[in-house]
Amino acid sequence: MFTLNRAFGEQRLGYQDIIDSDLPYVSVLIPMHNEEKVAENVLNALLNTDYPKDRIEIIPIDDNSTDRTREILEDYSSKYPHLIKPLYRGSYLPRGKPSALNDALKVAEGEIIIVFDADYIPPKGIIRDLAVSFLDPEVGVVMGRAVPLNISKNLLTRLFDLERIGGYQVDQQARYNLKLIPQFGGTVGGFRKELILKLGGFNPKILAEDTELTIKAYINGVKVCYTNRAECYEEAPETWEVRAKQIRRWSRGHNQVMFRYLLPLIKSPYLSLREKVDGVFLLCVYLISPLFLIGLVDSIVLFFLGEMQILGSSFFIFLSAYNTFGNFAPFYEIGLGALLDGATYRIFLLPLLLFNFFFNMWYSSLGFFDSVLDLITRRDPVWHKTERFRNGGDVNCCS
């Protein structure tokens, strides 16, 4: 459905073509923990923004770093004191992105908050592209598109790029077209400061603060605007170990939100029926992996016990139909996304996603079981940042 809508349906546009001199005051937050490899890149890119300098402040948040991050921030702050205003969090404070954002909100002067992860390189026009969306009073949250920068590094980065193509170019845009629930991704996006304060800030015990904000916003009648043209460049994980930890953390945090907000979403008077259906699917998306894994193990056990029997030709017809329109749906999205991006040569990598599927299934399942233990034991999860690889680099490519 999403692929067909993106290919042939009417496309909802963002607000980038609005010309308005009365732009909102913006606070750009950049959570950082041991980001010496990438800190200069994101700061240099933001200094190159074409957003009015008297309408913006940049708040890099040093979350108890033990490398040269603080030294780098102090240097930039001394050179641009009216623009770059670092926030330093001590070791006595709980670490993690949600806690860092909560502290930054206390000192941020902007009515609009825009967030970038430290490994991102924002193009010069992206602040305006995101900020103008808030000229519509009904918009509470805005999300742009993340584009991997180090695609050619290895097979992993190329497969990661395929996931991003399908997820943003087709899935997010189609959800926005169909007036469903496009998701705030925690970076390359923004929200109204008064909104997040009204919602109680970010829960430091939830690892997916972006999913929580999305669902809480919709439950309270606030919409998310997706703007596909607002592209920002990110660093893709370059080792399978780092990617595994990232997937496991995403799954764990996402399922934490599912356990907490599934019933409130269904009961909310502010969502239409189609939004509720999509919201349930969205919240349960990481539940598919453990169910598939359990079913796979169960089938193997039953087969060797002699209990599994073929049910006839109708079984194969059903199985073929399910795979064609179910399991293969991401292939459709990725294929169309590559076509829309003019990168059709990437389609040759689609067969390799089979390995990626089982890799993601395993670590998504581990994340689900982590979230179940969190729920049962009431333990507090520990935030583990994604390891960075890039050092230095040219940001002019993103201007």
Side-chain angles (χ1 to χ4, degrees):
M1 287 177 59
F2 289 170
T3 302
L4 291 173
N5 173 268
R6 188 69 176 97
F8 305 109
E10 181 179 355
Q11 307 298 303
R12 291 182 69 189
L13 302 178
Y15 296 79
Q16 290 79 17
D17 293 331
I18 294 178
I19 299 176
D20 198 309
S21 58
D22 189 23
L23 293 170
Y25 192 90
V26 170
S27 295
V28 180
L29 308 186
I30 317 167
M32 294 183 173
H33 174 72
N34 292 341
E35 303 287 8
E36 64 178 5
K37 292 183 178 180
V38 295
E40 294 183 0
N41 292 334
V42 64
L43 293 176
N44 288 335
L46 288 171
L47 288 172
N48 194 39
T49 180
D50 62 4
Y51 203 78
K53 296 300 190 292
D54 61 339
R55 307 294 298 165
I56 184 175
E57 64 175 355
I58 301 170
I59 306 179
I61 312 163
D62 178 19
D63 192 9
N64 189 30
S65 297
T66 57
D67 62 357
R68 293 183 53 253
T69 299
R70 177 164 185 152
E71 178 183 337
I72 293 172
L73 298 186
E74 289 175 343
D75 179 54
Y76 274 79
S77 177
S78 64
K79 293 178 180 177
Y80 310 96
H82 300 294
L83 189 59
I84 297 181
K85 307 172 183 178
L87 174 64
Y88 304 104
R89 304 184 74 243
S91 58
Y92 57 92
L93 294 173
R95 195 171 65 80
K97 187 175 179 179
S99 297
L101 292 175
N102 284 337
D103 285 351
L105 288 173
K106 298 175 183 178
V107 299
E109 298 180 5
E111 56 187 293
I112 302 301
I113 305 296
I114 292 179
V115 181
F116 292 106
D117 286 345
D119 62 320
Y120 279 64
I121 302 180
K124 63 189 299 184
I126 196 170
I127 302 296
R128 185 186 185 281
D129 286 344
L130 295 173
V132 294
S133 301
F134 292 101
L135 296 176
D136 183 346
E138 293 186 359
V139 173
V141 184
V142 174
M143 182 62 199
R145 178 185 175 187
V147 179
L149 185 63
N150 54 334
I151 299 173
S152 61
K153 187 69 177 180
N154 53 41
L155 176 61
L156 172 60
T157 57
R158 293 180 187 276
L159 294 179
F160 182 83
D161 175 56
L162 290 182
E163 292 185 29
R164 288 302 206 201
I165 288 176
Y168 283 99
Q169 180 66 275
V170 178
D171 198 277
Q172 283 276 67
Q173 182 63 47
R175 276 196 158 95
Y176 186 53
N177 292 341
L178 296 169
K179 297 184 179 180
L180 299 174
I181 302 183
Q183 187 174 351
F184 174 66
T187 180
V188 198
F191 47 85
R192 297 185 188 275
K193 179 181 176 181
E194 64 176 354
L195 168 66
I196 193 63
L197 294 179
K198 179 182 177 181
L199 296 178
F202 295 102
N203 188 338
K205 295 184 179 181
I206 290 182
L207 296 178
E209 85 293 338
D210 46 2
T211 304
E212 184 193 31
L213 174 56
T214 301
I215 301 303
K216 285 173 67 174
Y218 271 88
I219 287 175
N220 288 274
V222 179
K223 307 300 183 184
V224 176
C225 170
Y226 175 66
T227 171
N228 193 57
R229 201 185 82 175
E231 298 180 352
C232 189
Y233 305 89
E234 66 171 333
E235 179 186 81
E238 295 183 4
T239 69
W240 291 100
E241 180 184 4
V242 171
R243 178 62 173 151
K245 292 179 180 178
Q246 185 183 59
I247 293 172
R248 186 170 181 172
R249 173 169 58 83
W250 287 353
S251 174
R252 183 179 182 180
H254 193 101
N255 285 302
Q256 287 177 317
V257 177
M258 186 264 291
F259 291 136
R260 184 181 295 259
Y261 293 103
L262 184 59
L263 286 179
L265 180 138
I266 295 173
K267 295 178 179 179
S268 174
Y270 297 105
L271 278 77
S272 65
L273 178 60
R274 64 164 54 190
E275 287 174 332
K276 289 183 179 182
V277 171
D278 186 49
V280 171
F281 286 153
L282 179 63
L283 283 176
C284 295
V285 67
Y286 279 102
L287 186 60
I288 299 300
S289 291
L291 289 177
F292 189 95
L293 182 63
I294 292 171
L296 184 62
V297 173
D298 184 48
S299 298
I300 294 174
V301 172
L302 289 175
F303 175 80
F304 283 104
L305 290 177
E307 299 294 335
M308 177 173 285
Q309 300 176 356
I310 301 300
L311 302 180
S313 59
S314 59
F315 171 80
F316 290 104
I317 295 175
F318 172 79
L319 184 63
S320 298
Y322 172 76
N323 278 297
T324 300
F325 295 102
N327 288 341
F328 293 166
F331 288 81
Y332 295 135
E333 293 191 350
I334 292 170
L336 177 62
L339 181 65
L340 293 174
D341 278 347
T344 53
Y345 61 91
R346 297 178 189 174
I347 296 177
F348 289 108
L349 292 173
L350 280 176
L352 298 178
L353 286 175
L354 178 63
F355 168 75
N356 211 41
F357 169 77
F358 286 103
F359 179 84
N360 290 354
M361 179 183 66
W362 175 250
Y363 287 101
S364 295
S365 298
L366 292 180
F368 171 78
F369 295 129
D370 286 337
S371 67
V372 172
L373 286 176
D374 292 338
L375 187 66
I376 295 174
T377 64
R378 300 184 181 275
R379 66 181 180 182
D380 294 336
V382 179
W383 180 277
H384 296 287
K385 68 178 289 291
T386 302
E387 181 183 342
R388 312 302 185 199
F389 298 90
R390 190 174 65 246
N391 193 1
D394 182 11
V395 300
N396 293 325
C397 64
C398 311
S399 301

